Amino acid sequence: MASTAAFLSTLAGSTSLGGATPARGGGRSKTARFLRRRRRGAAVAVSGTEQAASPASGEKKKGGGGGDERVVQVHSAEELDGALRAAKERLVVVEFAASHSVNSSRIYPCMVELSRTCGDVDFLLVMGDESDATRELCRREGITAVPHFTFYKGTEKVHEEEGIGPDQLAGDVLYYGDHHSAVVQLHSRADVESLISAHRGEGGKLVVLDVGLKRCGPCVKVYPTVVKLSRTMADTTVFARMNGDENDSCMEFLRDMDVVEVPTFLFIRDGDIVGRYVGSGRGELIGEILRYNGVKVT
C-alpha cells in the first residue's frame, strides 16, 4: 500500500495508477469523460440487495454523472459534510475514485445499480483528482488508494473498504443499510425481550438472533445468507439482528449472554436459549438452524 503522500502525488498527476497517462485538461473535463466511460460499461448483476421503493417521479437526485440517477458527485469537504448532515440516520456510501483508475471504472456500474434498488441509501462520488479541494478531502479522510468506499451513518464513519468487487459492495450496503428484509432489527434489551415474548408458548417459532458488531468482516459476509433464510424459513423461524456496539443496552446484553466472539447466533425457543453457533459458515449455520427446528441432519 502506498503512503498517503505518494497517493496524493498520484492524484496531482505526477504518476498514474496502473501506468495510465493522466488526461490533459481541467479536472472537471477529465471527470466528465471518466463518467461517460463508466456509463458505457456493462450492467453489473447485484446479488443480496433488497428491493426498495423507487424515488417518486421528479425526486431523483442528479450529480456530476448525469444519467447516473441517485449517485451524487460532491466536489469539496464542505459538500460532503453537508450531505452527511442532511442524510441524518440514513446510510451514506461514498466512493472515492480517480479519473485514470481502471478499478474505479469497473466497480462504478455496481454502485449505480445499487442506487436504483436501495432507495433509502444515499450514494456519493468523490473524484480525487478533480481539484485541489477533492485532493484535500482525500487527505482528510485518509484515502490511500482507489476505489475506496466509506460508509457513514449519522455523520459517523461505520465502515470502509478498498479493493472490493460487486458482491462485497452489495453485501456491505445490505449489512449497514438493511431496513426492508424479514430480519427484525433490535436496538436494545427491551427489543429482545419483546421479540422473545411474542414467540413463547405452543406453536411459537424458533428465534435466531444474529449478534455482531458494526465493523466486523465475518458479520458482513454471512448477513446475505441470514436475509435469504429469513424468507425461505419464515414459516418456522424468526430471524433478528443486534449490533452489540450500537449502544450501552446492546453491549450489556452481549455481556449477559456471554458473547465473546462475533458473529454469534443464539437459538431461542419458548423464551430459553437452547443453543448457539459462532462463525460465518453458511452450511454450518443452516445445519444448526435445521437441528434446532427438529430436522435430523446427517
Side-chain angles (χ1 to χ4, degrees):
M1 178 79 64
S3 68
T4 301
F7 175 68
L8 292 171
S9 176
T10 296
L11 293 185
S14 61
T15 60
S16 60
L17 296 178
T21 301
R24 296 179 180 177
R28 292 292 177 93
S29 63
K30 287 193 296 184
T31 300
R33 288 194 295 271
F34 179 60
L35 290 168
R36 285 198 297 271
R37 288 201 307 271
R38 298 208 283 189
R39 286 199 297 273
R40 287 197 297 265
V44 177
V46 178
S47 61
T49 57
E50 291 296 312
Q51 181 72 35
S54 299
S57 177
E59 293 182 357
K60 289 182 179 179
K61 302 176 184 177
K62 293 183 180 179
D68 293 345
E69 300 174 345
R70 296 187 65 252
V71 178
V72 178
Q73 189 177 347
V74 296
H75 307 285
S76 66
E78 291 76 16
E79 288 188 13
L80 175 61
D81 293 343
L84 295 179
R85 288 193 297 270
K88 297 181 180 179
E89 293 303 314
R90 291 196 307 277
L91 177 67
V92 179
V93 180
V94 183
E95 179 188 355
F96 292 87
S99 61
H100 54 270
S101 167
V102 174
N103 289 331
S104 294
S105 298
R106 288 173 178 167
I107 192 69
Y108 184 71
C110 177
M111 190 158 112
V112 172
E113 184 65 22
L114 286 168
S115 76
R116 294 168 179 158
T117 58
C118 302
D120 59 351
V121 178
D122 292 350
F123 293 85
L124 307 180
L125 173 68
V126 176
M127 297 300 297
D129 56 349
E130 177 185 76
S131 66
D132 289 342
T134 56
R135 281 188 281 274
E136 178 57 34
L137 175 56
C138 287
R139 184 180 293 109
R140 188 191 80 172
E141 296 298 308
I143 308 303
T144 60
V146 294
H148 182 110
F149 291 90
T150 305
F151 297 72
Y152 298 88
K153 264 192 173 181
T155 72
E156 176 191 359
K157 184 185 296 185
V158 296
H159 184 63
E160 54 188 333
E161 291 269 16
E162 288 177 357
I164 60 175
D167 288 344
Q168 180 67 48
L169 177 59
D172 287 348
V173 172
L174 178 61
Y175 183 76
Y176 291 103
D178 178 28
H179 298 290
H180 301 286
S181 76
V183 181
V184 182
Q185 308 295 317
L186 305 177
H187 307 285
S188 66
R189 175 186 289 274
D191 288 349
V192 177
E193 293 172 351
S194 177
L195 180 67
I196 291 174
S197 178
H199 296 282
R200 286 181 184 272
E202 185 177 352
K205 296 180 180 180
L206 175 70
V207 176
V208 178
L209 175 53
D210 174 8
V211 181
L213 298 174
K214 290 179 182 177
R215 299 189 183 188
C216 167
C219 301
V220 175
K221 174 186 173 184
V222 76
Y223 192 64
T225 295
V226 175
V227 171
K228 292 175 184 177
L229 293 176
S230 72
R231 300 182 190 129
T232 59
M233 296 184 170
D235 292 341
T236 61
T237 309
V238 175
F239 289 82
R241 175 176 72 155
M242 170 185 282
N243 279 328
D245 53 351
E246 180 174 339
N247 54 50
D248 291 342
S249 177
C250 293
M251 189 57 71
E252 181 184 4
F253 177 79
L254 261 68
R255 287 194 295 265
D256 291 346
M257 296 299 104
D258 294 323
V259 174
V260 295
E261 295 181 63
V262 290
T264 289
F265 293 86
L266 301 176
F267 304 106
I268 304 168
R269 173 79 73 181
D270 197 20
D272 296 322
I273 297 177
V274 295
R276 66 178 63 201
Y277 167 69
V278 180
S280 58
R282 181 178 183 275
E284 292 89 342
L285 175 60
I286 294 173
E288 290 297 289
I289 295 171
L290 292 175
R291 183 161 73 91
Y292 287 107
N293 266 320
V295 178
K296 187 175 181 180
V297 179
T298 56

